[in-house]
Every structure is written in structure tokens, then in C-alpha cells.
Amino acid sequence: MTRRPNILFIMSDDHAARAISAYGSGLNSTPNLDRLAQGGLRMDRCYVTNSICTPSRASILTGTYNHVNGVTTLDTHIDNRLPNVAKHLRTSGYQTAIYGKWHLGEGKAHEPTGFDSWAVVPGQGEYFDPIMVHPDGERTHPGYATDIITDMCLDFLKARDRDRPFFLMCHHKAPHRSFEPHPRYRHLYADGKLPVPETFDDDYGNRAAAAEAAKMRIRADMTYKDLGLVQPEGGDEVGELLVPYLRDRKVPQLKPGGELRLMDALTGQVHVFTDPQALALFKYQRYMMRYLQTIQAVDDNVGRLLDYLDAEGLSDDTIVIYTSDQGFFLGEHGWFDKRFMYEESLQMPFLVRYPAGIAKGTTTLHIACNVDFAPTFLDYAGVTVPSYMQGTSMRPILEGKAPDDANDLAYHRYWMHRDEFHNAYAHYGVRDARYKLIYWYNDPLGEPGAYPGGEPPEWELFDCDADPYELVNRAGDPAFRAVFKDMLAKLDRKMAEIGDVPEHDSRKVLAALGA
Ligand code: CA
């Protein structure tokens, strides 16, 4: 029997591809993540099926879309009796383990199953001195979460059965909000000179109402805690509450003629603002500094794992993947956070190194999705992909053997309509090699007024080649009528294929177009 590869799956939380230097943005330096890109493949169109933590994790584990695995929102926890990729690999002889962020629920009905060893943070977990849930109960672990999670992975590797392959999921909680860096990184990216995205001052003109309605704006919606600033004592006069049941307040915007004084929570330095745009850019720089500092710990800790594989002579036999549960806005369109099908939040970074099968230093524009991860692991492990899984193995893409991109298509559906933190609207759509069609269904078909204060349904169509920042909605443009109809047909076919139920009625949509 040929030797089966080990699989080391490293996933962080909310890490945008632009914040990995191998992706070429010039924002930061991640030498250890870049080792994977140099020694393997960088995917530029790996997409998430639902741009939010919990559902993405369910799709990765089960190889199914969220309307099938039932994990559509942050509050719908996984039924851990469902089959998952770890169970299949374990049955086939792999040693399996997961450490770090789980975020699929706690308790006997939701905790990890399919793993020989596990320890996970409850919910989002904490950056410092995290509590971790073990099979025999909870314990507090002194230290920094990113280091601790890696220590657990290394302990598992050192204690492993060397005669059997392993499947190890290393799930960092970083760089998730509230972006708390370890003190050893506090000197990095601190000069306030990080490049500002071209679309930072986006006015959301010509886009669906959802874009303007979202409470994900750096200039308006970040809290004192997010930015490492002292929250002054006081009520509404010092800032709007993030949500009524938390005491976190948003740093206010400047009123005309006003002045705002902000104190750094670490150094006590006071920053004084009288210009609204200067304040918005200060918030951007603070946010990005803290975000990139938390990523530096991830990069260093990926390096520790890669060094161990090298020292043990395991690198040739181990598939190493680095990804994140979705993308993240880093000031594009003026936003932080994710949730939307726009490219920055839809794209998952995906680096994979496997010297025995994947050419080094390569990139691909082929589209793959997180539902494809589980079938890929099983394919490499020589395990039959079960019929319930809806993804397909990415192996032809990873090995440069995929056919042309004519049939490439990603499906995304976000279900958490107007959550109280972000006010992001529910939507679904498809993205092919060139175009993206989004349907903001808002008030579902047949249920007018189901969401009081909601907006009427809207379509968005983007030409991702000509308009990579997705600033010009072509859905109503007569010149794009044929493209719209083609993308609508692709959406209908995809929803039928995966068994999701549309909120739109294509006959009515086409009739309205006069088609
Ligand atoms: Ca996430």
C-alpha cells in the first residue's frame, strides 16, 4: 500500500488574503506563511459558502452547504451525530485531533466528534489566558491563545503513533475582533503609514441598499476596545452602545467644530482630533495595526509547526494547508468585518504545500469552495468520498490538472438578516470566473413585511474583471442583459443541484426584463 499523507490543516479566524505577504499586497510581512506559498500553491479564488465563522466551519467539516448541515447562522450549532471528515479519516486509520477554535457549539450534542484528541475554546474564546474545553472539562491556560493552541498541536505530534498518518486541525482564534496582540508585537505596523484602500471613502452609490445600511464602517462602528483605546466614563455622550446588552461603546465621529480626545490604553498617549477625515484615518491605522500584530503571532506559530515537520523529516509526506474561515474587509469600502459576498469577504486565503504532489511556487485562478475541503482530504487519504458530501475534490486544481474554468462556480448564501451588531442583509448568489450575481432577498417571497423596516429585493451584477472593486452594479444595465440571464441560469442550476430553495422567481424576473 502506498504511504498515505499526513494532513496538517491550519485555519485562522477572519484572516484576509491581503494580510499575507505571499498574496502581494505589501501590507505586512508573513515569512512563515510565505514558506507554504513558495513550497506549494497559492489559490486566488478560494471562496466561502457563507461568510461567517460558524457556518464556514460546518461546511469544512461536513463537505455540505449550510441548508443541508443546518448550521446557517452563529446560533445554529452543529448536530455532532452528523458524519464529518474527521470521522471518516479516523475510521480509515488516521490519528485525528483538533485544537483551538471550534465555534460549533458546546455540550454533549455539539462538542467535537471524530477526534482522538481535542481541546477547544468556548465560543469565540479569549486571546489572553484562555479557558479551553477538554473532553474531561474546562481549564484555564495561562498565556497567549495563538501560542497555546500551537503548543497543543506540537504535543500531539510529539506523542503520535509514528506508524499511522495524522489529520490535525490547528484552529487559531486570531485575528478575530477585538484584535488583541501579544505585547511582543506592539512595535509593529505602528507608524500610522499603512496604505489606505482606494475605496475607503466609498459612498455606496449604485449599489444595493445593503451596502449603505451595514454597520461595519471603520469611521462609525468601531469600539474603543477594538482600537485599544480607553473608553471614558459616561453614557451616550461618549459614544453609541455597540449593542444594548454590552457596555462597549463606539468611538464617536466628530461633529462640525468639535474636538475629540482619545487615550491609548497601553501607553496613555492622548490623541486630539478636530478633523473628521483625520479621525477616520486614525481609526483605520489603529485597527490595521492591531489586526496585523495579531497575525504576526499566527505567522510565527505556523513557523514553529513547519520547523517541527522539517526536523522530523515529515515535510515531504505532509499536506500542509493554511486558510481562514472567511475573508475580511481591511478598509475596502470603508469597512471592517465580513458577511457579504463582495470579494474581500468572500475570498478565503488558501496556501497548500505537498512536495510529493503539488508543484512549488505555483498559483491558480480556478474557483474552489470550503465545501470542497473535506472531499479533498478524503481523496488524498484514499478514502471514498461519501455521497452525502456536496463538494468535489480540489486535487485536479492543486496538481494543475483541472480543465478550463468554463464550469467554475461558487455559491454563497448569508442567512443572518439584519443582525443587531452589523445590520448586514441576507443574500445569495453565484460567482463564476468573470461575473458575480447577488440577490438581496430581504423580505422573502410571499412574506411581505416579514422584516419590518426591510428593503425590497434587489439584484447586483458585477464584472469582476473590469470592476474588481465591485463599484458598478450592472444588474439593470441593458448592455449586460445577456450576462444577467446567463448568471441567473447558473444560479438556478446551482440551487437546484445543491437543493437550496430560491426566494426569487426566475420566470417573473425574466418577464420583467422582457425576455
Ligand atoms: Ca471568522
Side-chain angles (χ1 to χ4, degrees):
M1 185 176 170
T2 53
R3 191 170 181 147
R4 300 196 294 170
N6 304 305
I7 301 170
L8 171 56
F9 179 79
I10 309 170
M11 182 164 74
S12 57
D13 193 345
D14 294 1
H15 189 173
R18 280 187 63 230
I20 295 176
S21 41
Y23 276 89
S25 75
L27 265 181
N28 60 340
S29 174
T30 52
N32 291 297
L33 296 176
D34 293 3
R35 282 163 71 180
L36 294 176
Q38 286 149 11
L41 173 77
R42 184 191 84 198
M43 293 197 71
D44 290 352
R45 289 181 184 162
C46 183
Y47 294 130
V48 67
T49 59
N50 182 351
S51 183
I52 191 86
C53 307
T54 303
S56 174
R57 288 151 200 276
S59 288
I60 289 167
L61 268 183
T62 63
T64 60
Y65 290 89
N66 297 135
H67 63 282
V68 171
N69 59 49
V71 184
T72 52
T73 72
L74 292 176
D75 303 316
T76 49
H77 296 153
I78 201 162
D79 178 343
N80 64 13
R81 296 170 298 185
L82 287 174
N84 70 38
V85 68
K87 293 182 188 182
H88 300 305
L89 289 171
R90 189 184 192 193
T91 303
S92 83
Y94 273 71
Q95 310 165 72
T96 59
I98 182 170
Y99 303 102
K101 186 166 173 182
W102 170 246
H103 210 195
L104 288 164
E106 280 90 46
K108 285 299 167 196
H110 308 298
E111 68 187 22
T113 48
F115 298 95
D116 296 312
S117 173
W118 58 268
V120 295
V121 296
Q124 299 285 6
E126 298 291 336
Y127 277 98
F128 292 98
D129 299 342
I131 292 169
M132 294 191 76
V133 185
H134 299 254
D136 60 352
E138 290 187 359
R139 292 200 285 283
T140 297
H141 294 260
Y144 189 62
T146 310
D147 301 334
I148 292 164
I149 291 163
T150 306
D151 290 343
M152 289 179 169
C153 291
L154 287 168
D155 288 345
F156 166 80
L157 291 174
K158 289 169 187 166
R160 76 189 188 281
D161 172 357
R162 282 154 203 265
D163 296 327
R164 291 191 295 142
F166 61 80
F167 173 62
L168 171 58
M169 303 185 96
C170 171
H171 285 196
H172 291 297
K173 84 156 254 94
H176 192 280
R177 190 180 190 182
S178 49
F179 326 113
E180 295 170 44
H182 189 281
R184 67 180 183 257
Y185 300 108
R186 281 175 177 161
H187 61 291
L188 296 173
Y189 312 111
D191 63 358
K193 293 180 180 169
L194 290 162
V196 180
E198 283 181 44
T199 58
F200 183 72
D201 294 316
D202 194 352
D203 65 1
Y204 315 110
N206 188 33
R207 244 68 49 73
E212 183 161 16
K215 293 184 177 177
M216 311 195 306
R217 293 192 206 178
I218 291 170
R219 68 173 65 235
D221 298 309
M222 302 204 88
T223 65
Y224 291 94
K225 186 178 179 187
D226 289 332
L227 299 176
L229 299 168
V230 176
Q231 179 173 312
E233 289 184 4
D236 282 350
E237 67 276 10
V238 303
E240 180 191 343
L241 281 173
L242 178 60
V243 285
Y245 52 86
L246 293 178
R247 296 294 97 186
D248 292 342
R249 291 184 182 275
K250 297 178 180 181
V251 179
Q253 300 185 78
L254 266 180
K255 295 185 178 70
E259 181 185 281
L260 188 65
R261 301 171 73 83
L262 298 171
M263 182 184 284
D264 189 308
L266 177 70
T267 65
Q269 184 182 358
V270 175
H271 303 266
V272 183
F273 295 94
T274 55
D275 172 42
Q277 185 68 4
L279 174 59
L281 291 171
F282 172 79
K283 291 179 183 179
Y284 167 77
Q285 294 289 347
R286 290 287 297 198
Y287 154 51
M288 289 298 295
M289 173 187 78
R290 290 165 61 81
Y291 180 85
L292 296 176
Q293 287 172 348
T294 63
I295 285 169
Q296 218 65 39
V298 173
D299 185 69
D300 281 346
N301 277 288
V302 168
R304 293 174 65 207
L305 287 169
L306 297 183
D307 288 347
Y308 179 82
L309 296 182
D310 286 347
E312 290 288 301
L314 289 168
S315 293
D316 286 344
D317 292 335
T318 303
I319 299 170
V320 183
I321 289 164
Y322 183 82
T323 188
S324 168
D325 59 347
Q326 8 64 212
F328 213 66
F329 293 104
L330 304 180
E332 302 92 351
H333 308 285
W335 287 326
F336 64 100
D337 216 78
K338 56 252 185 180
R339 294 158 203 280
F340 283 158
M341 200 182 158
Y342 301 129
E343 201 71 3
E344 296 86 353
S345 109
L346 182 66
Q347 186 194 354
M348 309 167 81
F350 194 94
L351 305 171
V352 54
R353 187 186 76 181
Y354 180 39
I358 297 172
K360 64 181 178 181
T362 51
T363 65
T364 181
L365 285 172
H366 272 293
I367 289 174
C369 294
N370 56 343
V371 291
D372 300 324
F373 295 1
T376 306
F377 302 154
L378 296 177
D379 187 356
Y380 274 107
V383 178
T384 301
V385 178
S387 60
Y388 75 85
M389 286 193 179
Q390 296 178 293
T392 53
S393 173
M394 297 155 69
R395 192 167 179 171
I397 296 176
L398 306 187
E399 298 182 358
K401 296 170 186 165
D404 66 43
D405 60 9
N407 292 317
D408 281 9
L409 195 73
Y411 177 75
H412 180 270
R413 181 166 187 169
Y414 177 75
W415 301 69
M416 294 180 67
H417 188 67
R418 302 193 66 184
D419 77 293
E420 60 188 331
F421 284 83
H422 309 89
N423 200 41
Y425 290 12
H427 60 280
Y428 56 69
V430 284
R431 201 260 200 237
D432 72 5
R434 176 155 180 190
Y435 297 103
K436 184 182 292 182
L437 181 71
I438 309 176
Y439 184 57
W440 302 90
Y441 52 96
N442 301 341
D443 290 285
L445 205 68
E447 295 178 51
Y451 300 110
E455 302 281 347
E458 288 183 90
W459 291 96
E460 283 187 320
L461 175 67
F462 297 105
D463 180 343
C464 300
D465 282 357
D467 177 27
Y469 299 137
E470 300 165 314
L471 298 172
V472 185
N473 176 14
R474 299 291 189 182
D477 185 338
F480 282 76
R481 187 155 296 172
V483 174
F484 183 91
K485 287 168 65 178
D486 181 51
M487 292 300 287
L488 183 62
K490 286 188 174 183
L491 174 64
D492 286 341
R493 275 200 303 274
K494 188 69 180 181
M495 292 187 87
E497 174 196 319
I498 64 176
D500 201 358
V501 179
E503 301 283 351
H504 69 278
D505 182 335
S506 284
R507 286 167 301 181
K508 290 181 183 173
V509 174
L510 293 170
L513 286 174

